[in-house]
Amino acid sequence: MKVIATSKLTKFFGKTRALNGVDLEVKQGEVFGYIGPNGAGKTTTIRILLGILQANEGQAQLLGQDAWQDAVGIHRQVAYVPGEVNLWPDLTGGEVIDLFVKLRGTNNSSRREEMIERFDLDPSKKCGTYSKGNRQKVALVAAFSSDADLYILDEPSAGLDPLMEKEFHECVGEVKQQGKTVFLSSHILSEVEKLCDKVSIIRQGEIIESGSLKDLRHLTRTEMLIETRKPVHGLEDFKGVHNVQQKDLEYSFQVDSEELGRVIQHLGQFEVIKLESAPPKLEDIFMRYYRGSGAEE
Amino acid sequence: MRRGLFNKAGVNARLIFRRDRWRLLFWILGIFLLTVVVAFAYTELVPTQHERMVMAETMRNPAVTAMFGPGFGLDDYNYGAIMGHQMLLFTALIVAIMFILMVARHTPGDEENGRIELIRSLPVGRLSNLSATILVCSGACLVLTLLIGLGLYATGIEGLDLEGSLYYGLVLGATGFFFTAATALMAQLAESSRGTMGFSFGLLGFSYLIRAIGDVGTEALSWLSPLGWVIRSEVYVNNYFWPIGLTLGGGLLLVGLAFYLHTLRDLEAGFIPTRSGRKTASPFLQGPLGLGLRLQRTTIIAWIVGLFVLGASYGSVLGDLETYLESMELIQVMLIDVEGFSLTEQFLPMLMSVIAIIATIPVLLLTLKIRGEEDKNRTEHFLARAVSRSRVMGSFLLLAIVVMIGVLLFGVFGLYSAGAAVMEEPISLNTMLKSLLVYAPAVLAMIGLGVLIIGFAPRRTGLAWLYLGYSFFVVYLGEMLQLPDWMARLSPFGHIPRYPLEEIVFSTLIIITLIAGGLMALGFWGYNRRDIYG
Ligand SMILES: Nc1ncnc2c1ncn2[C@@H]1O[C@H](COP(=O)(O)OP(=O)(O)OP(=O)(O)O)[C@@H](O)[C@H]1O
Ligand SMILES: [Mg+2]
């Protein structure tokens, strides 16, 4: 079952086009990573999914209902952590958590105490005195102590220390175990790599790549280091080989994943005595996409 | 060290000036035009010496003293004396409001939005933002002084001589500086821009009240109020400098204090400390309504008390007014043109319209609060959960309407209880209630306008305030300046029957209420279909 389905979402702010034909599909039980550089349109997408902004064109459906029309009904099954958590300075963290749980309509706060403990939050402090990370924790506690079907998280670990980040990862793992769906926008690549089943990359309002992590790895290059007895020739001209560097009979270069087999075959003629390869890193994918022409900032 | 604290204040001041040049221009020109237009209006209104002397006679009454301050130059009531007496205090109030808004916008306002943090991480002195704000505001005061001083002189109206005109401008400039300084100090005490505005407007209202009570009775009280000082320079008549010096000196002292506290204080924290609080939400904090009430309870209580005090201070004047009017046969002749009403009753509608408009301020604040929440990215907490937009808007609206009833009632109670205590023939509570509550539809119309703006032009909430300011102007000064009728009719307050002098026309009240309802419905519709920005 599709938990989130959008087609051709387009959003203008005045003349600037923040989203341009965004198609997303998230299935039940998936942890879906949504990544892209600053200003790419992640938060805008999430706000459309939540019915806070209205798309100029295109459809967005959550849990089979229209994101704009049926917002209130949908939200009873959604837990949301905003990218920038702004709270009322005069209220305490505990009050805000209770209020948030109440506002969702379903009165299930059985896990509240457990979550407060896990995230090491002092609920008696006024929100005005909380650090950024602590405000983030308030939103996380409220989200994970409620019993939702879909968790929408906008850069949720920004501002968390490593210990809390780990706790957060465990929370995501737990809800995934229960078959819940998670939509996670993030900048932290290791986090996405660790948590997500599928990712979409957005840049300048357009989805430029979507698929499982495995699929994406195919798009990248493997780092190779070889040493041969005979000098290698023809490597530079080989299709899919990049950045060849030579030091005596040691060569280092990168190979497009789909060309790997043919390159290895070619190298066989030169009596390889050492071959090291580093697996493609997700980071490389991002760098390649983020640095695409005209990227913002 | 010193230099370090103020480092880059100039750059900062330029930034503030750039961001606010239109705002400043609008305010200064507005005040200037108002002053000059009113000066000309008086030449039309009381063209002859005889009429001016009659006017002077009406000025010798306590109700007028409470409103404008003690009369001076009444023996030769020329245009200079008239302006200095009837317009200066009112204009000084507007100037004070202008500078309170300017300072509150830049010191705590920018801190809240995180702009200062960004700027302070650059090589910029700790006091740079505060001093830059004060610098820009002082510059604006100077411009205002010169513009108004020279402008009034340039009108060439008889009696508006150069020295008096410059003093007139100087009083306004000094008042502006004083309230710049006072607000800068309040910004150090309060944590938020709303708190700063609350404290500063509180100070302004208190100054006005203390002065009114002092001017009518115990003069010593007036000396506690900066607004009491300004009128004592008796511009155009005596041109005393020392009250101006006192205002400027007081301002400098407050600036020094503000700087001192600012160096002690942490960014974004006020001196009024925060206690640790409840771990769980109380049963009241269940939704937007409970939250709205919780966030604004202090404001609400303060305004209710404020309206009570305002009512009471007007009420306490009624007794003096009664005795005074009885002793003055001349005025009795002038005023009794409405059969069957006591003289004090004839003053009632005027008092009520002023109370009603002042009571609209907290009501409009509450109505527009939802917009402030949106600015601070806090409405998404509701909308991303199972709360509809109508419920969010409805909660804030309901709160505004309840508070409207509260402040109006308490205004009347204050007026009645003080009035009953000092008058020989008290006006009945029933009459007072009716004469104020007839204004409820007009206040509702202002709420309706607020809701409409939130639904369709969320960045233009200033329009609601502008409209309220206009209403205040036509109601407070309209009659005195004999402004054309249609000007008052542009404001809902101008349509309200002046009970008890006029019959209550229910059809008018119902129409205004229906218009208010229509505006609200439109606003809801707009709010339900527009983008929310946070
Ligand atoms: N209310 C708004 N008015 C005008 N432009 C906006 C508004 N909100 C967002 N934008 C623009 O839309 C684009 C997408 O912004 P968005 O906040 O969705 O980016 P993001 O991917 O969440 O970035 P980040 O990683 O920095 O959070 C940006 O160019 C931004 O400037
Ligand atoms: Mg974002």
Side-chain angles (χ1 to χ4, degrees), chain B residues 2 4-6 12 103 106-112 116-117 120 124-134 181 183-191 196 253-271:
Chain B
R2 285 282 132 197
L5 286 174
F6 292 98
N12 231 328
V103 177
H106 283 293
T107 40
D110 282 356
E111 253 177 51
E112 274 163 25
I116 303 281
E117 228 171 300
R120 206 183 270 176
V124 165
R126 251 168 106 54
L127 289 177
S128 151
N129 182 62
L130 186 62
S131 53
T133 307
I134 293 175
T183 312
L185 181 65
M186 294 304 172
Q188 313 311 312
L189 299 178
E191 273 180 54
T196 306
L253 204 72
L254 294 184
V255 168
L257 206 57
F259 279 150
Y260 176 66
L261 291 183
H262 191 78
T263 49
L264 295 184
R265 181 184 83 110
D266 290 334
L267 202 56
E268 217 178 307
F271 271 92

Side-chain angles (χ1 to χ4, degrees), chain B residues 445-456:
Chain B
M446 296 302 299
I447 299 180
L449 177 68
V451 173
L452 183 75
I453 288 175
I454 291 168
F456 286 96

